[in-house]
Amino acid sequence: MSADSTGRSGVASGTKPVLSVTDLCVDYYTDAGRLRACDHVSFNLYPGQRLGLVGESGSGKSTIALALMRMIKPPGRISGGRVMVGDDDLTAMSDNEMRSARMRLIGMVPQAAMSALNPVIRIRAQIQDVLQVHEPNLTYSQVQARILEVLEAVELRPEVASLYPHELSGGMKQRVCIAIAVALRPKVIIADEPTSALDVIVQRQVMETIGRLQREMNIAVVLIGHDMGLMAQFVDHLAVMYAGKLAEIGPTPTLFAKPNHPYTHMLISSLPTLGQKGVFRGIPGITPSLLALPTGCYFRTRCPYVMDVCSSEAPTQVAFDGGHVASCHLSAVPGGLTGRVEAERDAEATLHSARAEKGTGEAGPNKTGGFS
Amino acid sequence: MRTGYVVQRILLFFAIMWLAATINFVLPRLATGRDPIREQLIAQSMRGGFMSTSMEVMVKEYRVKFGLDEPLPKQYVTYLWNTLRFDLGKSLTNYPKAVMNLIGEALPWTLGIVSFAIVTSFTLGTILGALIAWPRAPRLLKFTVPFLLTFSAVPFYILGLILIYFFAFQLKWFPIGGGYPIGTVPSFTLGFVTKLVYHAMLPSLSMILASTGGWALGMRGMMVTIQGEDYMNYAEAKGLTDSRIFFGYGVRNAMLPQTTGLALSLGQLIAGAGLVEVVFGYPGIGSLLGQSITQFDYTTIYGIVFFLIVTLGIVLLVLDLLYPLIDPRINYEQA
Ligand SMILES: Nc1ncnc2c1ncn2[C@@H]1O[C@H](COP(=O)(O)OP(=O)(O)O)[C@@H](O)[C@H]1O
Ligand code: SF4
Ligand SMILES: [Mg+2]
């Protein structure tokens, strides 16, 4: 079942998605066997939206980014699904058509900004070649004007054009990459952990620049990251990945207020809040290897609400109001995840008051919730 | 700053030249066991068929002529001054011919085939190696690797001998040796130049065959490494054409270690070229050195060695000065 209604909240009906991903699958053929790093991923992105893609390291975020650019290298392969940008089907394009689509239809801000620029040629030449290859009709002076224009757009001085990458700070390099990504005004930009190599202050500034350009140019952005808290402040939609699958996707406020997948719920409650600062509550258990996934639901080895059906059947995607989709068997249970969470909270409260009455400090048998 | 670096590098060059000259001066004077002058005179008089009774007088006279009777410090100063004027003394065997003249006569031959061979094999090997490593290049190229490996493992002179045997001795496609046909007089006519090229073919070929493989394998390794670099993936994400990525990103970056490799192996290449000349009887510096060694022509031997050091020093100096132009990351202050 595809998540067709995904992300439609706040979008006038009839608006076509700018990026439409349907049942995208990517396999890697390793010595130890085939692994599916992206498993039937489906989502829609509408003009001007910001979608955050979060998940633990190894959950397949970069794989999706590369698959959208059709840059999966052997031993990997896109083994199924479709990627549409507007009316263009990227998965059906010839290699040369796809080459010409990169940065023009679908831009990318690389994860490794520190080493993504060619160390031996000047910044000017690195912006120039992308302009010239996609817009061969530009005159020399038009190209030069465009270079200065995009540098200004990312708040870099014109002199930066004459510098080499090693003469730039990390933040400046990332800005150059952003300038290249917006230079051809693509409809979609994918940014794979664009600030992971930068320090916190620079991170903020770079994110603000991405946000401003996104608004000004009405580009849709897929922002990949592993920090859910940081992401929540920046994106209007969130997609949570687990072991190559989309666990849940929906508008950020909805996801925070009423998550429908235990993994999302645990990620949110593990975020440090002002009340209990410094106490980082991780998620217990380890991510299963993509080569040895459990039957049924991939999350069942770590899920506190696991049921019998979870080990026999893989959950399908269930759509909720406002473009909210989750894949969890709890959706079919009355009360859903919320009901289970509340029941647990009530039980704990009862236990606490009972203990207070008795005056004993002993821990109750039911106290472990899996994310304490 | 730039000028500071250049001046520093040039000073270093002169320091090395001074050191080489000094070693060249000291070494023969340490060899007390043999007296080259006496040996030469004995050899010559034996050829003449009689033993001169005034041998000692002649030895003495020659010692004066070569300035060997002077005190050592004075000899040293004279020697340095002469070296500075490119005066490397006179040949013992071809007395009174100046060593510098002998070198001058042999140099064009060597310069011709060696520079041609180095430039050709370096260019060819670099392009070939880059293409072999390129996933989207013709598959066929990958089959050249075993041949390249084989050729790069065979020394220049052995390859030369093999080529002589097959192409000159058996097939008679090329002359067995020499720089031009015996009996012709060097001139700038088309006919003579054709013969020159014809004679230069096999020696050049043996050098090119022997070293192209090495350059190709080195470049292939570099290109494979560079293809894993983030900027190569990003270049692809930019939607650049294959040729732009190949030349502007791949080859451009792999050229840096490749050029360093050239600088490092230059001495070896020149030594190999010398052996090839001896094998082919080619009238260049290598053959001159070979002759001088068999004839105990000490002044010429030392002259050639010193000349080679200077040449190598100059080439390395030029490469060093050019290197910052191809790698902008070279820091002048630290260099
Ligand atoms: N080149 C590759 N060869 C084999 N497996 C790979 C390769 N690239 C990624 N993978 C596997 O795919 C999974 C997802 O990786 P990735 O997309 O990089 O995750 P993320 O970006 O979320 O950290 C990982 O389990 C990893 O082992
Ligand atoms: S399907 Fe079952 S195991 Fe998987 S997340 Fe839902 S409740 Fe947990
Ligand atoms: Mg990643």
Side-chain angles (χ1 to χ4, degrees):
Chain A
M1 188 186 177
S2 86
D4 195 51
S5 58
T6 304
R8 274 198 193 267
S9 69
V11 175
S13 60
T15 311
K16 283 184 66 181
V18 67
L19 172 68
S20 173
V21 179
T22 318
D23 287 328
L24 184 64
C25 294
V26 178
D27 292 337
Y28 288 106
Y29 295 83
T30 67
D31 293 340
R34 192 192 72 166
L35 63 87
R36 181 153 282 185
C38 174
D39 192 355
H40 291 90
V41 168
S42 302
F43 64 89
N44 284 333
L45 190 66
Y46 290 87
Q49 274 188 348
R50 299 175 183 178
L51 171 69
L53 191 57
V54 297
E56 288 161 309
S57 155
S59 57
K61 305 182 298 293
S62 297
T63 300
I64 290 186
L66 288 173
L68 295 184
M69 298 294 286
R70 250 182 66 186
M71 278 174 53
I72 298 284
K73 295 274 161 58
R77 185 170 92 78
I78 297 178
S79 49
R82 178 192 272 214
V83 179
M84 301 279 292
V85 174
D87 292 326
D88 297 294
D89 185 348
L90 300 190
T91 34
M93 283 182 172
S94 72
D95 284 351
N96 198 44
E97 285 168 339
M98 186 59 221
R99 183 192 59 66
S100 138
R102 294 188 186 122
M103 288 295 178
R104 187 171 54 82
L105 293 180
I106 182 162
M108 188 186 100
V109 179
Q111 179 164 15
M114 301 306 289
S115 48
L117 296 170
N118 187 341
V120 293
I121 62 178
R122 293 180 203 276
I123 301 303
R124 173 178 295 111
Q126 312 205 30
I127 304 177
Q128 188 170 326
D129 60 11
V130 75
L131 286 172
Q132 279 172 337
V133 74
H134 295 292
E135 293 184 22
N137 294 330
L138 290 180
T139 64
Y140 178 79
S141 53
Q142 281 172 327
V143 170
Q144 298 311 310
R146 285 277 287 279
I147 292 172
L148 297 183
E149 198 181 295
V150 293
L151 283 178
E152 197 189 336
V154 295
E155 294 146 50
L156 289 174
R157 286 168 292 111
E159 300 90 82
V160 170
S162 325
L163 299 179
Y164 288 100
H166 72 273
E167 296 170 303
L168 268 53
S169 71
M172 289 165 88
K173 281 184 217 175
Q174 191 55 286
R175 279 172 195 279
V176 171
C177 292
I178 296 167
I180 290 172
V182 299
L184 296 145
R185 302 217 168 196
K187 295 177 180 166
V188 189
I189 288 180
I190 306 156
D192 189 353
E193 311 207 17
T195 58
S196 58
L198 308 175
D199 67 62
V200 184
I201 296 169
V202 182
Q203 260 180 20
R204 268 228 100 74
Q205 295 166 344
V206 169
M207 289 302 274
E208 273 160 16
T209 304
I210 296 181
R212 181 176 51 74
L213 290 171
Q214 185 272 332
R215 269 195 314 277
E216 286 173 10
M217 303 185 177
N218 200 37
I219 301 171
V221 176
V222 180
L223 188 72
I224 296 173
H226 55 259
D227 188 334
M228 190 148 172
L230 239 159
M231 198 69 99
Q233 304 169 18
F234 188 78
V235 296
D236 40 52
H237 285 75
L238 265 175
V240 180
M241 283 201 78
Y242 189 80
K245 285 191 177 194
L246 272 190
E248 185 164 15
I249 180 169
T252 312
T254 315
L255 229 65
F256 268 75
K258 192 179 174 298
N260 277 327
H261 195 288
Y263 183 53
T264 316
H265 176 72
M266 288 163 82
L267 282 175
I268 294 168
S269 28
S270 75
L271 292 175
T273 58
L274 281 176
Q276 16 128 268
K277 54 178 168 237
V279 191
F280 177 74
R281 305 197 297 167
I283 297 177
I286 50 160
T287 323
S289 155
L290 292 183
L291 283 162
L293 288 167
T295 55
C297 174
Y298 294 165
F299 190 57
R300 73 176 163 87
T301 49
R302 297 165 80 184
C303 181
Y305 309 111
V306 61
M307 304 174 288
D308 287 344
V309 64
C310 302
S311 53
S312 55
E313 273 174 54
T316 51
Q317 291 192 312
V318 177
F320 300 86
D321 288 345
H324 183 180
V325 177
S327 332
C328 171
H329 288 304
L330 281 175
S331 304
V333 174
L337 174 63
T338 328
R340 297 294 297 267
V341 173
E342 276 165 5
E344 187 181 69
R345 196 180 299 145
D346 290 347
E348 212 166 295
T350 318
L351 196 74
H352 262 284
S353 49
R355 222 185 283 148
E357 275 170 26
K358 278 187 189 170
T360 57
E362 273 173 82
N366 269 340
K367 199 173 171 277
T368 42
F371 52 98
S372 54
Chain B
M1 260 316 290
R2 268 158 207 265
T3 44
Y5 167 72
V6 173
V7 168
Q8 208 180 327
R9 187 60 189 77
I10 290 172
L11 285 179
L12 183 68
F13 167 76
F14 281 109
I16 292 169
M17 291 311 112
W18 168 77
L19 197 68
T22 306
I23 291 173
N24 222 9
F25 172 81
V26 174
L27 227 48
R29 283 163 181 80
L30 284 180
T32 44
R34 301 180 79 164
D35 184 343
I37 290 177
R38 195 183 305 272
E39 277 176 29
Q40 276 300 323
L41 285 172
I42 291 171
Q44 270 171 19
S45 53
M46 279 187 21
R47 245 173 274 145
F50 67 96
M51 282 291 276
S52 170
T53 42
S54 56
M55 181 67 116
E56 286 312 307
V57 183
M58 277 177 76
V59 169
K60 208 164 202 164
E61 200 169 304
Y62 271 103
R63 292 188 77 88
V64 175
K65 246 195 185 104
F66 283 96
L68 294 175
D69 54 335
E70 308 266 15
L72 272 181
K74 183 147 189 276
Q75 277 186 44
Y76 181 59
V77 172
T78 317
Y79 171 81
L80 282 186
W81 171 237
N82 287 341
T83 307
L84 210 57
R85 295 181 299 142
F86 298 110
D87 178 359
L88 297 175
K90 297 201 186 325
S91 162
L92 290 179
T93 326
N94 297 306
Y95 190 82
K97 207 158 184 171
V99 170
M100 209 51 216
N101 285 347
L102 286 174
I103 292 177
E105 282 163 19
L107 187 62
W109 297 98
T110 301
L111 221 53
I113 60 164
V114 172
S115 53
F116 174 72
I118 291 182
V119 169
T120 310
S121 62
F122 184 75
T123 317
L124 215 67
T126 302
I127 294 173
L128 195 61
L131 281 174
I132 292 171
W134 195 243
R136 290 177 287 280
R139 277 281 180 87
L140 208 66
L141 279 171
K142 302 216 168 17
F143 293 109
T144 58
V145 173
F147 296 99
L148 295 174
L149 270 170
T150 314
F151 279 124
S152 68
V154 181
F156 288 24
Y157 50 94
I158 295 200
L159 205 62
L161 287 174
I162 295 171
L163 289 181
I164 290 177
Y165 180 75
F166 282 108
F167 293 104
F169 185 69
Q170 293 280 352
L171 295 170
K172 301 200 193 321
W173 289 354
F174 292 100
I176 296 234
Y180 49 89
I182 300 159
T184 49
V185 183
S187 60
F188 268 111
T189 60
L190 186 65
F192 186 73
V193 171
T194 319
K195 290 197 178 75
L196 274 186
V197 173
Y198 183 51
H199 276 74
M201 225 94 112
L202 270 196
S204 313
L205 193 66
S206 74
M207 277 188 264
I208 292 171
L209 277 183
S211 49
T212 302
W215 294 127
L217 295 174
M219 186 66 179
R220 183 183 71 141
M222 258 340 280
M223 281 293 275
V224 168
T225 311
I226 276 175
Q227 274 169 61
E229 295 283 344
D230 292 324
Y231 54 77
M232 292 300 282
N233 278 318
Y234 184 56
E236 197 184 340
K238 282 164 86 177
L240 302 179
T241 54
D242 256 8
S243 64
R244 169 73 183 155
I245 301 178
F246 179 72
F247 288 109
Y249 288 68
V251 173
R252 180 66 181 76
N253 277 286
M255 274 314 287
L256 307 177
Q258 187 78 344
T259 311
T260 312
L262 177 64
L264 288 176
S265 59
L266 218 53
Q268 221 181 325
L269 285 176
I270 290 174
L275 287 170
V276 169
E277 283 183 6
V278 175
V279 169
F280 282 91
Y282 203 74
I285 304 271
S287 291
L288 179 64
L289 184 62
Q291 275 165 33
S292 314
I293 290 171
T294 47
Q295 295 171 353
F296 300 117
D297 188 349
Y298 287 88
T299 45
T300 310
I301 296 172
Y302 286 113
I304 291 174
V305 170
F306 181 69
F307 176 80
L308 289 180
I309 293 173
V310 175
T311 314
L312 206 57
I314 291 173
V315 176
L316 289 179
L317 174 68
V318 171
L319 280 177
D320 256 9
L321 292 181
L322 287 182
Y323 204 77
L325 296 183
I326 63 167
D327 189 353
R329 286 164 298 183
I330 298 289
N331 190 335
Y332 294 99
E333 279 110 306
Q334 280 173 10

